[in-house]
Amino acid sequence: MLQTLRERSKKRKKLLAQTLGVSSVDELRQVLGTDINDAQRKREKMSSVKSDDDLREQKDDTVSTNEIVYKDSSTFLKGTQSSNPHNDYCQHFIDTGQRPQNFIRDVGLADRFEEYPKLRELIKLKDDLISDTATPPMYLKTDLLAYNLKELNCKFDVILIEPPLEEYQRTCGATNVQLWNWDQIMELDIGEVAASRSFVFLWCGSSDGLDMGRFCLRKWGFRRCEDICWIRTNINNPGHSKNLDTKAVLQRTKEHCLMGIKGTVRRSTDGDFIHANVDIDLIISEEPEYGSIEKPVEIFHIIEHFCLGRRRLHLFGRDSTIRPGWLTVGPELTNTNFNTDLYTSYFATSQITTGCTERIEALRPKSPPPKGKVSGRGRGGFNRGRGRGR
């Protein structure tokens, strides 16, 4: 029985050594601070009768020879297979300015789905279909403070709003754009250009915009349904932020994009208009240069993968955000090619959705049908080609 217990103990020690990335059990004792042999144990037992002063000296000697004291993160190692038990990403940020999110792996669009072949195939098929059904890029340079959005003469399925918030002057050093306050943003007539079932995505910063953005959604006739969070890394320019928000108690390294829904859209029955659960509500990408208010391009991918509607509007866009399938409107654009009649002609045959294919329908995540109802094509089924009008 004793022999069996000893063998089990050896196996556990070997497994723990492999987990911590050390080569032998002896090194494991050193890493865990238990490298004390039998002779040392006997000496410690005999020394227990000594005076308190002698005992303190012996303990000090033991600490100095056997323990490794980590005073900073200079020995910091990425990953979990490390002999260093102090992989503290927060302490490493304090010492070096490298944010903890810098060490999250496979966050890029190119390598994110390498280990998930079916999901990779789904994204590839959807991207191809989106590209094939996209309208030519159109853009309109205009002052949105004075422009009447009704003049666009179109109802949109998706509206992305990227306002230059006053907050960005404090946090991003934005000085070369006309900044907007939340009262001005709320006055935008978004509800008049939104289709009966549609979605709005509103970038709202990381402070008071979280509350004011919700007020805007309600005023425009939308219900908040999701909150997409952009986690900003600083791999290319590590360091601590020099521009701290006066209202903040922590260094803010994220930004929020509120998602609102108008009308009745259900995941389980409206598969002709939305494909839910294809992407997550988190974006991790590099922070733009100081003074820039650029947002990650991944927000476009999330929107296009989710909503099959082809009528897409981007407010406060710039030359760098002009994109096939989108109408970009904003004062920062340098030119205009928008033609109302030409744009509406792209949807004259009621082809307002991208449609779907049998393979995409088979691969995409689906919600279970409501209880008591038999699943079938119906309203939630796919449409070949470019879709149908509603």
Side-chain angles (χ1 to χ4, degrees), residues 214-227:
R214 286 168 167 80
F215 291 144
C216 289
L217 295 185
R218 285 198 290 269
K219 183 178 184 298
W220 298 334
F222 289 83
R223 308 181 305 279
R224 191 203 69 85
C225 59
E226 288 290 349
D227 181 350

Side-chain angles (χ1 to χ4, degrees), residues 189-242:
D189 205 356
I190 303 299
E192 289 297 325
V193 294
S196 57
R197 55 173 184 169
S198 54
F199 298 93
V200 64
F201 293 80
L202 173 62
W203 285 104
C204 59
S206 59
S207 59
D208 55 348
L210 286 170
D211 294 324
M212 297 305 299
R214 286 168 167 80
F215 291 144
C216 289
L217 295 185
R218 285 198 290 269
K219 183 178 184 298
W220 298 334
F222 289 83
R223 308 181 305 279
R224 191 203 69 85
C225 59
E226 288 290 349
D227 181 350
I228 300 173
C229 188
W230 173 29
I231 308 296
R232 302 192 296 260
T233 61
N234 65 343
I235 298 173
N236 298 332
N237 188 26
H240 300 280
S241 176
K242 303 297 189 298

